[in-house]
């Protein structure tokens, strides 16, 4: 089974902190990163960009 991997850039709209994470495609077309919240306790106001990574 092929596993799709993504690079996920998350920018907090509240404080501007940026997080670069690896994500896998979860069920229902969502991308699982394990990201919970920003350092400033913001949990929902983010700018999220995903980029598909090439398979080796
Ligand atoms: Zn923040």
């Amino acid at each position: 089974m092929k596993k799709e991997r993504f690079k996920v850039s998350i920018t907090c709209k509240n404080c501007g902190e940026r997080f670069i994470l690896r994500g896998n495609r979860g069920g229902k077309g969502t991308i699982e990163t394990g990201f919970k919240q920003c350092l400033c306790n913001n949990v929902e106001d983010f700018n999220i960009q995903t980029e598909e990574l090439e398979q080796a």
Side-chain angles (χ1 to χ4, degrees):
M1 195 166 123
K2 190 182 163 191
K3 223 177 186 182
E4 290 177 89
R5 303 183 110 190
F6 297 84
K7 186 176 113 181
V8 184
S9 304
I10 300 174
T11 306
C12 176
K13 289 185 183 176
N14 188 38
C15 74
E17 186 72 36
R18 279 184 77 203
F19 303 88
I20 309 294
L21 300 165
R22 292 282 185 85
N24 294 315
R25 192 186 290 282
K28 302 171 189 171
T30 59
I31 295 177
E32 306 277 345
T33 61
F35 183 81
K36 292 281 193 286
Q37 64 174 50
C38 183
L39 302 173
C40 68
N41 293 329
N42 174 17
V43 294
E44 57 186 17
D45 201 10
F46 298 103
N47 224 326
I48 300 174
Q49 288 187 307
T50 60
E51 184 182 319
E52 199 164 348
L53 294 175
E54 295 287 334
Q55 294 291 312

